[in-house]
Amino acid sequence: MSHDVQKVRSFEHPGEGRKRAKSTPKGRQIDPQAAEEMALLLGDRPRRRDLLIEHLHLIQDTYRQISAAHLAALADEMKLAFAEVFETATFYAHFDVVKEGEAGIAPLTIRVCDSLTCAMLGAEKLLHELQASAGPGIRVLRAPCVGLCDMAPVAEVGHHFVMKATASEVLATAERGETKPVIPPYVDYDAYVRDGGYKLLNDLRAGRLSKDDILKALDDSSLRGLGGAGFPTGRKWRAVLGEPGPRLMVVNGDEGEPGTFKDRFYLLRDLHRFLEGMLIGAHIVDATDVYIYIRDEYPAALKVLPMELAKLPQGGPVLHIRRGAGAYICGEESSLLESIEGKRGLPRHKPPYPFQVGLFGLPTLINNIETLFWVRDIVERGPDWWSSHGRNGRHGLRSYSVSGRVKNPGVKLAPSGLTVRELIDEFCGGMADGHRFHAYLPGGASGGILPAAMDNIPLDFGTLEKYGCFIGSAAVIILSEHDSVKEAALNLMRFFEDESCGQCTPCRVGTQKAALLMQQPVWNRELLDELSQAMRDASICGLGQAASNPLTTVIKYFPDEFKETAE
């Protein structure tokens, strides 16, 4: 960033009169060509502040990078300070901001996922081979979880994913110019309606079904938020409805937790079942607008969603699609709201809570995609149908995202409360050939790591907390005797270090220091415990509060796999 040009005072020399300094415009000067390009690119699109990230995507998609000149022109178009636009653009990993004097970005980017499951299945080797073999015009980067853990290792060529990837296959994909997302078969609007879809919504809107009927069904089923927090859905809807209007609704489709991919599964197979649940929720709370936030790592869903929304009949709330830009923190609900408003995804302090003061300062209902997916079935089939599922004293269904050392990874719809052993044997075909069950993550990157000996714990809300773990979004990663839990914990801590928003010191510095300490051959248990406690106690949001769970559980449950500092 250039500094304002400072006016220079003219000095009075002997024999000369006083001269007036030449006027120089303050601030960053707008490049005329960039200004023209930006005006044409934006066209008649609104220049509202909340559309800043959408406009940055437009520049990135058009030019494959965002130059300083285009940033300045965008700031001018939107009547925003350049610093405000710059800090937002540089916050998100998927915006390639080229600063003044820097070389341009290569035309094609290949991203290799290096999160835990991909790392276990050869991502590091794949990354190095691609970096050594990629020709000019191609850059190869590491990437955090892209939501395809059941197909690890994964590389993304442009917006085209290569699954169970080899370096030769990835490079061949790049040479063929296959950079667009592949759209899998899915249930479209017409097929969904033929199968009885939207009848429930129409009955609700026509008054043939009351709001109380819907809320009672949700209460009786005990449906809880399936994005990770597990808050009772009916109670959340009632809380938002109890706030004075106008009200808004937000759909959280930013499942960035390593190991989690169930929302992608439902989005790309039975999209309208989720949309009907969403519209029912919007009707219940009288939401005037609904904002659907989808992570940028799901390009196929981002292509299908607007096509299917256009097929919906007129009426109901105004629907908006918002595209994430590569920031795990935006899965946290208040960070999500900040991102939708076109800002950096920094968590808000609570209270007030989003159901009180949410998007644009209005009461806001926030639900996860899978939670909304089940609304229609629960109401039509009855809450007893939902509650009839479950094991070990638990009730309902869970969509377990299973990856790692099993024969058949994937999304497994199974009873809530089943054990990891039951999940592996009954739903995943057992362990992969040549692998023996050694450890597992019951709830994704932040849910802790448990040994195989503790394979009889029901996997559900409230069953794992006493062990220092939690179920979260039910991302289950299976490790074998060929995997090091120390390396697994380090991989996860590096992920949290990279994804920390930087707003609070305990998380920003804590994750960095923990990763450094965990790279040492001898772990300083006392210092790591102290650091973990500080992160849990003082971090603003769940990222910093839960980042140390894999570390502390490895120390607690795998004493033979780490060494303490000698006295």
Side-chain angles (χ1 to χ4, degrees):
M1 258 168 68
S2 65
H3 297 284
D4 289 348
V5 177
Q6 187 178 23
K7 290 184 178 179
V8 180
R9 180 172 62 87
S10 62
F11 291 90
E12 188 174 348
H13 295 280
E16 296 181 354
R18 184 181 297 274
K19 296 179 180 178
R20 178 172 301 200
K22 189 176 288 187
S23 176
T24 305
K26 289 187 175 182
R28 179 176 294 274
Q29 301 307 297
I30 308 303
D31 179 81
Q33 181 179 343
E36 182 180 354
E37 291 170 345
M38 191 55 51
L40 288 172
L41 192 61
L42 295 182
D44 60 359
R45 293 176 173 85
R47 271 62 166 172
R48 297 195 318 268
R49 176 67 175 82
D50 63 290
L51 293 173
L52 173 57
I53 292 173
E54 295 298 305
H55 294 341
L56 289 168
H57 273 302
L58 191 60
I59 302 172
Q60 177 76 40
D61 291 344
T62 304
Y63 296 100
R64 298 191 182 93
Q65 60 187 19
I66 303 176
S67 69
H70 281 144
L71 274 184
L74 178 62
D76 187 61
E77 281 281 341
M78 299 186 70
K79 303 296 185 283
L80 296 171
F82 178 84
E84 193 172 4
V85 176
F86 180 83
E87 71 178 12
T88 301
T90 53
F91 180 85
Y92 295 92
H94 290 184
F95 294 140
D96 294 316
V97 178
V98 181
K99 302 174 185 176
E100 289 181 348
E102 290 184 343
I105 302 296
L108 180 63
T109 297
I110 296 175
R111 288 183 166 88
V112 178
C113 175
D114 69 351
S115 289
L116 182 55
T117 304
C118 283
M120 290 163 55
L121 295 173
E124 199 68 27
K125 178 175 180 288
L126 174 63
L127 177 70
H128 291 319
E129 289 178 351
L130 287 172
Q131 288 174 332
S133 306
I138 299 176
R139 63 171 182 162
V140 180
L141 302 177
R142 295 178 180 272
C145 187
V146 296
L148 285 163
C149 315
D150 51 335
M151 296 293 178
V154 177
E156 185 182 13
V157 181
H159 291 300
H160 178 94
F161 289 104
V162 181
M163 294 166 277
K164 298 184 178 179
T166 63
S168 59
E169 185 181 3
V170 173
L171 293 174
T173 300
E175 289 174 6
R176 291 192 297 267
E178 296 176 6
T179 60
K180 295 183 179 179
V182 175
I183 309 299
Y186 67 93
V187 179
D188 66 6
Y189 175 78
D190 292 334
Y192 184 73
V193 170
R194 285 196 300 270
D195 193 36
Y198 291 113
K199 180 182 182 301
L200 180 63
L201 175 65
N202 292 334
D203 287 345
L204 178 63
R205 287 177 172 175
R208 293 186 290 272
L209 197 68
S210 72
K211 291 184 178 182
D212 285 340
D213 293 332
I214 301 290
L215 291 169
K216 186 176 188 305
L218 295 179
D219 290 339
D220 291 347
S221 69
S222 299
L223 176 67
R224 299 175 67 168
L226 299 173
F231 194 85
T233 303
R235 192 191 309 172
K236 177 183 281 191
W237 290 17
R238 290 180 192 276
V240 176
L241 185 58
E243 294 294 315
R247 307 178 194 91
L248 301 174
M249 181 177 183
V250 167
V251 176
N252 187 345
D254 195 62
E255 59 169 0
E257 182 87 358
T260 308
F261 46 91
K262 62 186 178 59
D263 286 351
R264 171 186 58 82
F265 178 86
Y266 290 118
L267 270 172
L268 292 175
R269 281 163 177 78
D270 201 355
L271 173 69
H272 285 277
R273 194 171 298 268
F274 141 66
L275 290 176
E276 184 169 11
M278 176 191 78
L279 292 171
I280 289 170
H283 184 89
I284 294 294
V285 302
D286 297 321
T288 60
D289 294 74
V290 179
Y291 290 79
I292 309 170
Y293 190 98
I294 304 295
R295 66 186 308 224
D296 199 32
E297 290 84 351
Y298 290 171
L302 285 163
K303 191 172 183 64
V304 169
L305 188 56
M307 294 191 301
E308 293 302 314
L309 289 181
K311 299 176 183 178
L312 295 176
Q314 295 296 313
V318 180
L319 304 179
H320 311 265
I321 300 172
R322 288 291 185 267
R323 177 179 168 188
Y328 165 73
I329 189 63
C330 289
E332 194 275 335
E333 61 179 11
S334 66
S335 303
L336 175 73
L337 299 178
E338 291 288 299
S339 188
I340 293 174
E341 293 180 4
K343 305 171 188 174
R344 294 176 293 166
L346 301 180
R348 299 175 180 176
H349 291 275
K350 302 173 186 177
Y353 296 96
F355 80 89
Q356 301 164 314
V357 180
L359 188 63
F360 306 123
L362 299 175
T364 304
L365 173 64
I366 305 177
N367 276 130
N368 160 264
I369 286 172
E370 193 201 352
T371 307
L372 298 168
F373 181 90
W374 290 114
V375 169
R376 175 190 166 188
D377 287 280
I378 287 173
V379 177
E380 288 185 343
R381 301 188 186 195
D384 289 342
W385 164 79
W386 179 262
S387 300
S388 67
H389 298 282
R391 292 188 186 176
N392 302 307
R394 316 305 294 182
H395 302 285
L397 291 166
R398 288 303 301 259
S399 300
Y400 297 92
S401 303
V402 186
S403 63
R405 307 297 190 175
V406 293
K407 283 185 179 177
N408 303 312
V411 175
K412 310 297 179 180
L413 184 60
S416 294
L418 87 172
T419 66
V420 69
R421 180 65 70 177
E422 292 169 331
L423 183 62
I424 294 170
D425 293 343
E426 298 178 33
F427 293 87
C428 300
M431 293 293 293
D433 293 338
H435 292 270
R436 187 179 71 254
F437 184 30
H438 175 59
Y440 68 106
L441 283 70
S446 54
I449 305 177
L450 293 173
M454 298 174 68
D455 63 355
N456 60 345
I457 304 170
L459 299 177
D460 198 14
F461 295 116
T463 60
L464 294 153
E465 282 76 1
K466 64 182 179 181
Y467 304 106
C469 300
F470 55 78
I471 187 70
S473 58
V476 181
I477 303 176
I478 305 298
L479 283 66
S480 77
E481 79 281 10
H482 298 294
D483 304 307
S484 164
V485 293
K486 282 182 63 178
E487 289 300 316
L490 176 57
N491 176 284
L492 299 173
M493 189 59 72
R494 284 172 171 160
F495 168 80
F496 291 125
E497 176 190 4
D498 189 58
E499 294 295 333
S500 173
C501 75
Q503 182 178 194
C504 69
T505 303
C507 177
R508 181 184 68 250
V509 178
T511 52
Q512 179 188 44
K513 296 300 183 184
L516 287 172
L517 288 168
M518 293 166 71
Q519 293 176 54
Q520 302 302 314
V522 177
W523 281 15
N524 186 330
R525 176 173 180 172
E526 183 179 352
L527 184 56
L528 284 168
D529 281 342
E530 184 179 352
L531 182 60
S532 299
Q533 191 64 51
M535 291 166 62
R536 283 193 296 271
D537 291 344
S539 296
I540 291 174
C541 79
L543 191 157
Q545 293 164 8
S548 64
N549 286 343
L551 160 65
T552 55
T553 50
V554 164
I555 290 175
K556 183 175 182 179
Y557 297 114
F558 299 88
D560 296 335
E561 299 193 34
F562 79 96
K563 299 175 183 178
E564 297 186 34
T565 303
E567 293 295 335

